[in-house]
Amino acid sequence: MKMKPLFVLSFISMVLLLLLFLLQSSTVMSVDCNVGELICCADPISTGVATQQCCSKLKEQEPCLCQYKNNPFFGGYVNSPNAKKVAQCCGVPFPSC
């Protein structure tokens, strides 16, 4: 039975997309979600003025922001207007989770 070229191309495309998804997932999973890493953002969040160090840590911890946002201990800080302002200044999209 001869496979049609379109079927083969579709199958290869699906396999490549699956591999890409798995590679992205493993990258996200490799982030150590440690809210302590964001201690350098305490002052920027209180003032609403981003710093380079805070921006670096926010970008690093970006995959964890929903986890922090939904945490009753940290949610108030993450959801504050100044935290949103700092995230925007840093170019980190504010999580909509």
Side-chain angles (χ1 to χ4, degrees):
M1 189 164 155
K2 188 176 178 182
M3 286 194 201
K4 294 185 179 180
L6 185 59
F7 174 77
V8 174
L9 182 60
S10 296
F11 180 76
I12 291 172
S13 298
M14 286 189 337
V15 169
L16 288 174
L17 285 173
L18 179 62
L19 286 173
L20 180 62
F21 175 75
L22 290 173
L23 286 174
Q24 287 179 336
S25 296
S26 65
T27 302
V28 169
M29 288 180 197
S30 69
V31 172
D32 181 24
C33 291
N34 179 358
V35 75
E37 293 286 321
L38 295 176
I39 194 70
C40 61
C41 293
D43 286 338
I45 288 174
S46 67
T47 63
V49 179
T51 63
Q52 185 177 8
Q53 183 183 19
C54 177
C55 288
S56 175
K57 288 296 181 179
L58 270 177
K59 289 175 183 174
E60 187 180 290
Q61 293 286 305
E62 183 179 346
C64 307
L65 293 180
C66 278
Q67 177 182 336
Y68 303 151
K69 182 179 175 185
N70 294 326
N71 184 304
F73 297 109
F74 311 120
Y77 298 106
V78 176
N79 290 311
S80 72
N82 280 348
K84 293 176 184 179
K85 190 184 301 183
V86 169
Q88 183 180 19
C89 289
C90 294
V92 175
F94 192 77
S96 59
C97 43

